[in-house]
Amino acid sequence: MKNNENVPEIDSLLDKYKRGNVLVKECPSRRVLQSVTSRWGVLVLFRLRKGTHRFSELRRQITGVSEKMLSQTLQVLENNGFVLRIAHPVIPPHVEYQLTPNGQEVAMRVEELVVWIELNLESILSDQKELND
Amino acid sequence: MKNNENVPEIDSLLDKYKRGNVLVKECPSRRVLQSVTSRWGVLVLFRLRKGTHRFSELRRQITGVSEKMLSQTLQVLENNGFVLRIAHPVIPPHVEYQLTPNGQEVAMRVEELVVWIELNLESILSDQKELND
DNA sequence: CAGTATCCTCATTGATACTG
DNA sequence: CAGTATCAATGAGGATACTG
């Protein structure tokens, strides 16, 4: 470590390089990207674009998701500041989830990707190669 | 099964519902979406937007990806018709990867998502909740 | 209703070594 | 160079039961 010169400019360059570059393993942006593009993350963001939803609504609308995965996914998105969790202090519990401003921004872009795929599914499927055994 | 009337309209409705709806578990579009938003899939698509690249180039540029995962990811994207693989019959081997027209379309949308995250990283990080132990 | 806790499985991933 | 093959480890994910 001592024979490695600690040149300020290099540190600064490295920081800049790492700040917003998903191609760099250590860059935080890659973590954020993964939370957004995670298996259930995409679908939750996509669904919340339509507006506020309760836990059980999301659970029913996103076919195949388990309670555990949904709750976990929502927590990650909440921790990243994309989803807002609003718990009404009533019995039985009533919790609503909605997008934050940043959440709106990413969800908008996620939606464009999703919608393109949905609309072009036939074209995509016809291009797919057969995977025999 | 016999007491379940096979009404054509219902079948047709079901088909339409399943055709391009990622929220439905059985819908092929969800598989396609996952291949695109997979851990390394996003990064490969993002990188290939810049143009054709060789295997080893991608391997070096996408920090942290293993040979196995890169090759696997490229195969999936190729099978879905998003990536074109061009192998030049020379020794040593020379293989290039580029986007297909459909690949360009998805990659464009992936890029918008990625770039937004990169540009807004600071805002996102400042919103993040602390996850102590 | 909206979760959490626990246990368990198997798919994804990585390290290493080898090949046309 | 551009992979494949093999094995080992991690963690994503599911089933079930329980709780404020």
Side-chain angles (χ1 to χ4, degrees), chain B residues 27-43:
Chain B
C27 185
S29 61
R30 193 183 279 190
R31 286 205 152 285
V32 174
L33 180 63
Q34 272 194 52
S35 76
V36 167
T37 60
S38 71
R39 178 165 182 189
W40 304 113
V42 214
L43 300 179

Side-chain angles (χ1 to χ4, degrees), chain B residues 50-64:
Chain B
K50 304 297 181 189
T52 301
H53 285 289
R54 302 181 60 170
F55 185 87
S56 51
E57 287 173 346
L58 291 172
R59 173 99 164 81
R60 252 177 294 111
Q61 291 157 352
I62 303 174
T63 312

Side-chain angles (χ1 to χ4, degrees), chain A residues 61-63, chain B residues 17-18 21-30:
Chain A
Q61 291 157 352
I62 303 173
T63 312
Chain B
Y17 184 59
K18 286 186 177 175
N21 191 335
V22 288
L23 295 177
V24 176
K25 185 172 58 176
E26 302 81 7
C27 185
S29 61
R30 193 183 279 190

Side-chain angles (χ1 to χ4, degrees), chain A residues 43-44 47-48 50-62 65 67 70-71 74 83-99:
Chain A
L43 300 180
V44 166
R47 193 68 196 116
L48 286 181
K50 304 297 180 186
T52 300
H53 284 288
R54 302 180 61 170
F55 186 86
S56 51
E57 288 173 346
L58 291 171
R59 173 99 164 81
R60 253 176 294 111
Q61 291 157 352
I62 303 173
V65 69
E67 290 187 347
L70 180 55
S71 123
L74 285 166
V83 162
L84 189 62
R85 180 181 186 276
I86 304 168
H88 299 94
V90 294
I91 292 178
H94 185 118
V95 182
E96 301 199 314
Y97 293 93
Q98 59 183 239
L99 296 173

Side-chain angles (χ1 to χ4, degrees), chain B residues 62-81:
Chain B
I62 303 174
T63 312
V65 69
S66 67
E67 291 187 347
K68 180 183 163 186
M69 282 303 106
L70 180 56
S71 121
Q72 192 172 302
T73 301
L74 285 166
Q75 279 181 35
V76 170
L77 291 175
E78 192 193 357
N79 289 337
N80 278 329

Side-chain angles (χ1 to χ4, degrees), chain B residues 1-7:
Chain B
M1 338 260 170
K2 222 36 185 285
N3 56 342
N4 214 356
E5 298 188 42
N6 211 333
V7 187

Side-chain angles (χ1 to χ4, degrees), chain B:
Chain B
M1 338 260 170
K2 222 36 185 285
N3 56 342
N4 214 356
E5 298 188 42
N6 211 333
V7 187
E9 293 97 282
I10 292 183
D11 286 337
S12 143
L13 266 172
L14 193 62
D15 275 1
K16 202 178 173 82
Y17 184 59
K18 286 186 177 175
R19 183 149 303 142
N21 191 335
V22 288
L23 295 177
V24 176
K25 185 172 58 176
E26 302 81 7
C27 185
S29 61
R30 193 183 279 190
R31 286 205 152 285
V32 174
L33 180 63
Q34 272 194 52
S35 76
V36 167
T37 60
S38 71
R39 178 165 182 189
W40 304 113
V42 214
L43 300 179
V44 166
L45 289 171
F46 177 64
R47 193 69 196 118
L48 286 181
R49 272 230 81 201
K50 304 297 181 189
T52 301
H53 285 289
R54 302 181 60 170
F55 185 87
S56 51
E57 287 173 346
L58 291 172
R59 173 99 164 81
R60 252 177 294 111
Q61 291 157 352
I62 303 174
T63 312
V65 69
S66 67
E67 291 187 347
K68 180 183 163 186
M69 282 303 106
L70 180 56
S71 121
Q72 192 172 302
T73 301
L74 285 166
Q75 279 181 35
V76 170
L77 291 175
E78 192 193 357
N79 289 337
N80 278 329
F82 294 134
V83 161
L84 188 63
R85 180 182 185 275
I86 304 167
H88 298 94
V90 295
I91 294 180
H94 185 118
V95 182
E96 300 198 315
Y97 293 92
Q98 58 184 239
L99 296 174
T100 63
N102 269 354
Q104 294 277 358
E105 294 290 327
V106 288
M108 186 190 310
R109 286 157 177 88
V110 164
E111 187 182 33
E112 288 189 16
L113 177 64
V114 169
V115 167
W116 186 90
I117 291 177
E118 287 184 344
L119 292 179
N120 293 272
L121 227 204
E122 304 227 359
S123 155
I124 296 167
L125 293 182
S126 70
D127 279 5
Q128 279 185 350
K129 297 199 174 169
E130 302 307 328
L131 326 161
N132 340 346
D133 27 10

